[in-house]
Amino acid sequence: MPDGYARALEEVVAASIEPAAVAVDTEGRFPSGNIDALRDAGLLGLISATEVGGTGLGLRAATDVVGRIAGSCTSTAMIVCMHYAATAVLEELGPESVRRDIAAGRHLTTLAFSESGSRSHFWAPLSTADADGDEIILDASKSWVTAATAADSFVWSSRPVGAEGASTIWLVPASTQGIKVDAPFDGLGLRGNDSSPVSAVGARIPADHRLGDDGGGFDIMIGTVLPWFSLMSASISVGVMAAAIDRTASHLSATRLEHLDESLANNPVNRLRLARSKVTTDQVAMLVDDAVRAVEGDRDDATLRVLEAKAAAGDAAIEVTDACMRLCGGAAFRKEVGVERLFRDSRAAAVMAPTSDVLYDFIGKALCGLPLF
Ligand SMILES: Cc1cc2nc3c(=O)[nH]c(=O)nc-3n(C[C@H](O)[C@H](O)[C@H](O)COP(=O)(O)OP(=O)(O)OC[C@H]3O[C@@H](n4cnc5c(N)ncnc54)[C@H](O)[C@@H]3O)c2cc1C
C-alpha cells in the first residue's frame, strides 16, 4: 500500500478505532465513528478505480487494510471486508453512479448471500426474483448481513429469474420498500458488526439493477467474491492472532510472581506455548501472502491457495487465541488483557462461508480430482 494510505490508516486506528474498540464490543454497537474516519481518510474508496474517483488499489492493499484494523477492532475490519468484497463486484458490474459514490466514501455496501434455507451454502440461494415489467420482485430470507442497518446497498443473491443456473446477483438499495432488517445482532464476537437477518417481501427493484447475467451468479461468487472475501477474512484472522500474541507477550513480561522474584515469561512452558503460537501465525501469514500473489499473478494454483488460506487462517486463529487465553490465565478470563475479545472474535472466520469444514471438503475434492460442487 502507498505510504500515504498506510500512514492515514495508522492515524485512524490510533485516533478512532483503538479507543472505541472496547465500547463497540461491550455495547454491541455499530462503529459509525470508525467508518466515518475511514471514509474521511479515503480508505472506503481504496479499491474503486481511479476513473470513478477511487484510489485504484487491489486485493493486496485491501488485505493489508483489514488485517491492520482487525487487531484493534475486528468488528470494524469485517465491516470494511464486506464493503470491499461487495465493491469488487460493483467495480466489475455495477452502475457508474454507485461506483462514484463508493469511491467518494458516500456509500457503504455489503454482501447479502447467506440465507436461512440454504444456510452456509451461499452458492445455492432459495430466495426468488420475479419479473414484473421493468421491475424485479424480490422475496428472501437472508440469515446474516454485516452492516445490515448501516449499509446503503446490498449485493444480493437470488435464484435466476428465468435462466438456467443456480443464482443471479442484484444491487439492492437498502431503502427499497419491502426490505426489512429483522432483528438486532447480539453475537458472541464481532459484536459491533450489525450482522442481522434481512428479509425481502415483495421488494421491487428496477430490472437494470441486475449485476451480470441472469443465472450468472455462480461465476461472480466464485470468480470475484470467493478470492476477495476469503483472503480478506484470512488476513483478518492473521491480524487477530498477531494482536493476541503481542498482548500475551506483554502480559507475560510485565506480570510477576513476586514470591519467586520472576515474571510469567520466566516460565519455559509459557515461552514454548507463545513461540508455537507465533510460528503458527507466521506460517499462516506466509500462506495468505502466497495466496494473494497467486491470485494477482493468475497462477494455476490460485483457487486452491485461496481455499487453503481461509481454512488455515480461520482455524489457526481459534487455536492461537485459545493458547493466549490459557497463557494469560485468569487475568484474560476477567478481560484485563484484551485477549478475551480477540478469542471471541476469532471464532467467526471458521463459520463464515465458505466455512472451514466446507473448505477442507473442497480441498480434498480438488486433490482427488472430483468436482467441487
Ligand atoms: C459475524 C458474522 C457475519 C456474517 N456476515 C455475513 C454477510 O455479511 N453476508 C452473508 O452473506 N453472510 C454473512 N454471514 C454468514 C456466514 O457466511 C455463514 O453463512 C453463516 O455463518 C453460516 O451459519 P449457519 O448457522 O447457517 O451454518 P450451517 O450451514 O448450518 O453450518 C453448520 C455447520 O455445518 C457445517 N457444514 C455445512 N455444510 C457442510 C458441508 N457440505 N461439508 C462440511 N461441513 C458442512 C458447517 O461448516 C458448520 O460447521 C456472517 C456470519 C457471521 C458469523
Side-chain angles (χ1 to χ4, degrees):
M1 191 168 31
D3 280 356
Y5 285 93
R7 261 197 311 279
L9 177 60
E10 288 306 325
E11 282 168 20
V12 173
V13 169
S16 178
I17 297 177
E18 184 72 39
V22 171
V24 165
D25 174 63
T26 311
E27 297 162 22
R29 70 169 153 84
F30 186 80
S32 312
N34 295 345
I35 300 302
D36 290 348
L38 289 164
R39 180 199 58 222
D40 293 346
L43 289 161
L44 295 184
L46 187 85
I47 68 162
S48 300
T50 49
E51 64 258 28
V52 292
T55 310
L57 296 178
L59 180 60
R60 167 74 62 190
T63 55
D64 285 349
V65 168
V66 297
R68 173 65 189 92
I69 297 172
S72 289
C73 177
T74 322
S75 293
T76 303
M78 186 54 72
I79 292 160
V80 175
C81 164
M82 288 299 182
H83 170 74
Y84 288 159
T87 298
V89 177
L90 292 168
E91 276 299 298
E92 284 176 19
L93 301 162
E96 187 177 323
S97 58
V98 172
R99 293 175 59 208
R100 284 195 178 280
D101 283 348
I102 292 174
R106 290 189 294 267
H107 185 116
L108 186 72
T109 187
T110 190
L111 292 178
F113 282 2
S114 304
E115 299 192 352
S116 53
S118 50
R119 305 187 71 81
S120 57
H121 297 197
F122 63 86
W123 55 91
L126 299 176
S127 65
T128 55
D130 294 308
D132 182 18
D134 289 343
E135 291 186 321
I136 294 293
I137 306 171
L138 299 173
D139 286 280
S141 171
K142 299 287 175 184
S143 48
W144 297 82
V145 180
T146 291
T149 59
D152 298 291
S153 70
F154 308 114
V155 169
W156 181 283
S157 57
S158 75
R159 293 171 68 89
V161 179
E164 295 289 313
S167 63
T168 297
I169 308 295
W170 308 93
L171 171 63
V172 178
S175 57
T176 304
Q177 261 203 342
I179 299 285
K180 184 164 148 282
V181 177
D182 289 324
F185 176 59
D186 184 10
L188 171 76
L190 297 184
R191 286 179 48 74
N193 224 46
D194 190 19
S195 294
S196 288
V198 171
S199 60
V201 179
R204 286 175 177 268
I205 57 169
D208 66 4
H209 279 31
R210 197 180 71 214
L211 300 171
D213 294 335
D214 189 31
F218 183 82
D219 289 344
I220 299 168
M221 288 173 171
I222 303 305
T224 303
V225 178
L226 181 75
W228 277 86
F229 173 69
S230 298
L231 294 180
M232 286 190 286
S233 167
S235 185
I236 288 173
S237 295
V238 171
V240 165
M241 288 188 271
I245 289 172
D246 275 356
R247 286 171 200 202
T248 303
S250 300
H251 181 74
L252 295 182
S253 304
T255 308
R256 298 196 65 73
L257 297 163
E258 289 179 13
H259 62 298
L260 299 176
D261 192 26
E262 61 183 36
S263 74
L264 292 175
N266 283 87
N267 181 325
V269 175
N270 284 349
R271 293 197 302 270
L272 177 146
R273 284 187 195 281
L274 184 67
R276 288 179 65 138
S277 294
K278 172 70 174 158
V279 171
T280 300
T281 303
D282 287 350
Q283 283 174 329
V284 171
M286 289 167 82
L287 179 59
V288 176
D289 176 72
D290 186 62
V292 173
R293 279 178 211 279
V295 171
E296 288 182 337
D298 205 15
R299 266 173 25 203
D300 288 347
D301 64 345
T303 301
L304 183 62
R305 275 284 188 259
V306 167
L307 304 178
E308 288 178 307
K310 181 174 184 295
D315 282 358
I318 292 174
E319 180 191 319
V320 165
T321 54
D322 186 61
C324 291
M325 283 297 289
R326 187 192 287 219
L327 278 164
C328 296
F333 195 82
R334 218 162 47 191
K335 306 193 179 193
E336 286 165 19
V337 201
V339 164
E340 174 268 355
R341 173 165 53 87
L342 297 169
F343 168 75
R344 286 185 285 107
D345 289 344
S346 75
R347 306 200 67 88
V351 296
M352 289 185 77
T355 66
S356 289
D357 287 346
V358 166
L359 288 167
Y360 291 128
D361 187 38
F362 284 169
I363 294 164
K365 283 176 172 166
L367 292 174
C368 297
L370 296 169
L372 297 200
F373 294 93

